[in-house]
Amino acid sequence: YFEKGKLDEAMLLLTQMDYSDELHILAGKAMLAKIYYKQGEIKTLDSLINSTQTFIARKKKMGYHKSVYAKFFSLFKKLTKINIYDKDAIHKLKDQINQADKMPEKDWLLKECEILLK
């Protein structure tokens, strides 16, 4: 539903997911963050990112997923705070995203940077 632009339907499905696994929790939060971003709900998005970063920091046994999701939410936060008229800053963020290894939603973040550059 998200890819089709049906954000409300995607959000409804996220509320019905089984969140017993930490990776499902993080994947769900990443999708919800993308929905909030697309809807322009920046305050809600900022709150979600902050709470997710706290969640990640508190978890001790997540393996490499901890660092890749921490990186994703860190770069996502930078995307939400960036001055959309500062093309140099957008290019720098894009470079940071490109340098991130094995990061979830990397292509989506890059696409959003491209949109800001237009």
Side-chain angles (χ1 to χ4, degrees):
Y1 283 119
F2 178 82
E3 295 299 325
K4 293 180 180 181
K6 297 180 178 182
L7 303 181
D8 291 333
E9 289 91 339
M11 201 178 309
L12 180 62
L13 286 178
L14 286 172
T15 64
Q16 298 170 358
M17 275 183 60
D18 175 24
Y19 289 106
S20 58
D21 181 74
E22 291 171 344
L23 294 180
H24 287 141
I25 292 169
L26 291 173
K29 287 180 182 281
M31 177 64 69
L32 190 56
K34 290 170 34 179
I35 291 170
Y36 288 151
Y37 181 81
K38 287 295 192 183
Q39 291 178 332
E41 297 288 341
I42 302 304
K43 287 184 181 181
T44 307
L45 173 58
D46 193 47
S47 178
L48 175 67
I49 290 173
N50 289 336
S51 68
T52 304
Q53 288 175 321
T54 301
F55 172 82
I56 292 169
R58 288 183 178 163
K59 294 296 176 182
K60 301 295 181 209
K61 298 180 182 181
M62 288 181 62
Y64 80 94
H65 297 289
K66 182 174 183 165
S67 63
V68 296
Y69 272 100
K71 188 69 167 176
F72 167 73
F73 283 103
S74 173
L75 291 170
F76 200 153
K77 189 171 199 167
K78 287 182 181 184
L79 176 66
T80 66
K81 305 288 184 198
I82 204 158
N83 178 347
I84 62 170
Y85 301 107
D86 187 349
K87 302 303 181 189
D88 288 336
I90 298 169
H91 282 291
K92 285 179 186 177
L93 176 60
K94 193 175 166 192
D95 289 343
Q96 288 177 333
I97 294 167
N98 274 320
Q99 292 172 8
D101 215 14
K102 299 179 184 177
M103 187 178 63
E105 304 295 345
K106 182 176 182 173
D107 291 338
W108 184 85
L109 287 172
L110 289 170
K111 185 176 96 176
E112 292 305 314
C113 285
E114 285 299 322
I115 290 170
L116 293 177
L117 288 169
K118 291 182 181 180

